[in-house]
Amino acid sequence: RKVRTMSEERKHGSPYDRGSMDAYYGRRPRPHIWLDNMGRERVPEDKMTKDQIKDYYRGYDEEDDRKDWG
């Protein structure tokens, strides 16, 4: 298994990034990946690997900032 660097793991669209953003914006967790910068090419949970799903939830759980909607 290849060891990922912090920048690879948190790359825009990665499972970790998507989990982090869902938490930040107050969305319920729904594992997915973006293959492009706009989310038009989206990979749903049923097409993700177990490791990708684990990375998504780790990003979701580790995000401690929240969007201020006020």
Side-chain angles (χ1 to χ4, degrees), residues 1 8-9 12 18 20 22-23 26 34 36 41 43 46 50 58 66-67 69-70:
R1 179 173 166 179
E8 287 176 321
E9 177 179 85
H12 186 71
R18 295 293 81 217
S20 175
D22 283 349
W34 285 3
D36 65 333
E41 295 181 51
V43 177
D46 65 339
K50 288 179 183 178
R58 195 163 46 78
R66 296 293 181 267
K67 168 80 172 154
W69 297 99

Side-chain angles (χ1 to χ4, degrees), residues 1-36:
R1 179 173 166 179
K2 181 185 173 211
V3 175
R4 292 168 294 185
T5 66
M6 182 76 75
S7 62
E8 287 176 321
E9 177 179 85
R10 296 183 183 192
K11 180 180 171 189
H12 186 71
S14 71
Y16 186 96
D17 171 70
R18 295 293 81 217
S20 175
M21 288 299 95
D22 283 349
Y24 176 78
Y25 286 108
R27 297 186 286 250
R28 288 181 292 172
R30 241 175 85 200
H32 63 285
I33 302 168
W34 285 3
L35 299 179
D36 65 333

Side-chain angles (χ1 to χ4, degrees), residues 53-68:
I53 294 168
K54 189 183 340 182
D55 286 347
Y56 172 92
Y57 280 109
R58 195 163 46 78
Y60 192 91
D61 293 339
E62 290 180 1
E63 181 58 58
D64 58 2
D65 195 12
R66 296 293 181 267
K67 168 80 172 154
D68 179 3

